[in-house]
Structures are given as structure tokens and as C-alpha cells.
Amino acid sequence: MIIKEKSIKSYIALERTLRYILLKDAQGKESFVFKRFIKGDRGFETQIEQVKGDTESTSIVMENRLLNMHKQFRVNDEQRMRKRKGETKFYHCILSFSKLDSLSSVELRMVAKTYTKMRFPRSIVVATNHTDTGHQHVHLIGSNVEYGIHTTRYLTKAEFKNVKHKMEQWQEKELKLEHSRVDHLKKKIQPFLKMQNTNSI
């Protein structure tokens, strides 16, 4: 599993990211939407089922659903206890797997749920899977402001690395993937080899 995180620093960027993760592959095979602390979303899920097959009606429901999510992320963020200019408001996380490993939508949902517990235990989260590339991956947006507490949740590099290690241990135990292990030393070894080659010329 490869885990990447990108900072989202504005509400406009949040809306763009929500549109990308929720609408780009919305009708993808075996897709799911995982939420935490998002109110009123079950009503939208019911509406989507009712208008299934009607592209225009589905688009309208999906748009309203997205705006509802965006509003809840924004309202929660506006209540943060400490405000700074240029601060990170949300994180866009991407959890990717090898092309050689195949996971069901149930397993991918488990990945999203487990990562949320480890990385965003008290934050608003929305996650879904995409099937538009050669490898399976999960997109997840997590708030940097904890829900109902309004404190920020920044991780140090060491803490984030620890989350990655825990996720890898979990996937090894629960999913038994053969090809999606991350070589944490890879980035450190390559510059060393390059330096050796340069010195030998």
C-alpha cells in the first residue's frame, strides 16, 4: 500500500477535490462512499437508488449531496479554536495498491475505515474508491479540525510514518496482500547508488 497526502488550504480547493473524488468515477463498478460525521447523507443515498438509470436526475442528486458534504466540512472548519493564515484545512489522502493485487469493494471500504480510525479518529471524513486506472486506489478527504472539539490534528513526520507502518501491518494481517508492500528504504537507497555510480566514473 502506498499512502500519499496532499494539503487542502481553501474551501474552493475542497469543493474541487470533492468533485474529483465523488463525481469522476461515480458510476464505477463496485464503488462505495464511506462517511464519518456527515449528517443527512442517507437521504441522498436513497434518492440515488430511486433515480438509478436517469442520468440527469442522478447528477442533480449527486450535486446536492456534494454541496451538503462541503457545507459540513466548512462549518466544522470555521469553528477551529486557533486560526492562522495559509493553514491546512483538510487533507486529500490516496491509498494505492499494486496492479497485481485485487480487492473487493468491501475490502476497500475496510481500508478506508481503518485508515480513518488511525489517521482521523475524531474528524469529518469522506472516502471512495476509483476504478479508472490500472491499479485500485482509495481517495479520502479528512478534516484537520476534530469534530465537536474544534482542535487541529497535525501529525509530525514520525507520527505519519507510524500510521503508515500500522496500516501496512494491518493489511498484511487482514488482507494478506502479496504485492502491495511498501519498500520504505527505496527512496534512501536510490540517491546512495547514484552517488556511488558518480564517484566511480
Side-chain angles (χ1 to χ4, degrees), residues 1-197:
M1 182 189 304
I2 296 174
I3 300 172
K4 295 179 181 177
E5 283 195 358
K6 300 175 182 178
S7 298
I8 300 174
K9 298 192 175 187
S10 72
Y11 300 138
I12 292 172
L14 169 65
E15 184 179 341
R16 278 200 303 261
T17 308
L18 279 168
R19 285 187 185 286
Y20 175 76
I21 76 165
L22 291 173
L23 303 183
K24 183 183 179 188
D25 200 30
Q27 304 306 314
K29 188 182 176 183
E30 295 284 310
S31 63
F32 71 87
V33 177
F34 170 79
K35 301 95 47 187
R36 194 168 196 189
F37 298 127
I38 294 288
K39 295 177 182 177
D41 195 67
R42 286 187 182 180
F44 291 108
E45 288 181 341
T46 302
Q47 289 178 50
I48 289 167
E49 280 300 312
Q50 290 172 347
V51 298
K52 210 167 188 178
D54 183 337
T55 307
E56 187 178 345
S57 296
T58 299
S59 296
I60 292 168
V61 175
M62 289 292 290
E63 177 70 15
N64 290 334
R65 183 188 200 185
L66 186 151
L67 293 175
N68 176 57
M69 290 178 175
H70 183 269
K71 181 181 179 180
Q72 292 188 51
F73 270 107
R74 191 188 73 241
V75 168
N76 182 69
D77 182 74
E78 287 171 345
Q79 297 177 61
R80 64 168 64 215
M81 292 175 70
R82 295 179 182 177
K83 297 181 181 181
R84 296 180 300 177
K85 193 175 181 180
E87 63 200 348
T88 296
K89 296 181 177 297
F90 317 98
Y91 290 99
H92 175 198
C93 313
I94 304 165
L95 292 75
S96 307
F97 299 90
S98 167
K99 294 177 182 179
L100 301 174
D101 284 322
S102 179
L103 291 89
S104 67
S105 61
V106 172
E107 289 172 322
L108 289 167
R109 190 185 182 92
M110 282 171 57
V111 169
K113 191 174 182 179
T114 303
Y115 188 71
T116 296
K117 283 182 180 178
M118 292 185 188
R119 177 65 179 89
F120 301 101
R122 298 183 194 89
S123 297
I124 294 179
V125 166
V126 171
T128 189
N129 59 316
H130 279 190
T131 58
D132 58 318
T133 63
H135 61 276
Q136 293 177 301
H137 56 286
V138 171
H139 287 274
L140 184 149
I141 299 174
S143 175
N144 196 29
V145 177
E146 296 179 312
Y147 184 77
I149 305 171
H150 313 311
T151 53
T152 50
R153 179 172 170 77
Y154 288 102
L155 296 188
T156 64
K157 285 184 180 180
E159 287 170 335
F160 185 46
K161 188 175 181 181
N162 188 43
V163 169
K164 289 181 176 181
H165 277 295
K166 283 184 177 178
M167 279 300 294
E168 194 166 320
Q169 288 169 356
W170 174 83
Q171 79 160 15
E172 198 171 296
K173 181 183 176 183
E174 299 295 330
L175 304 178
K176 296 177 173 54
L177 301 182
E178 294 180 23
H179 307 285
S180 292
R181 277 191 59 85
V182 178
D183 182 2
H184 293 284
L185 297 175
K186 193 173 181 182
K187 289 183 179 178
K188 293 180 182 177
I189 291 172
Q190 284 179 337
F192 174 71
L193 291 174
K194 188 176 179 182
M195 186 176 67
Q196 269 194 327
N197 292 337

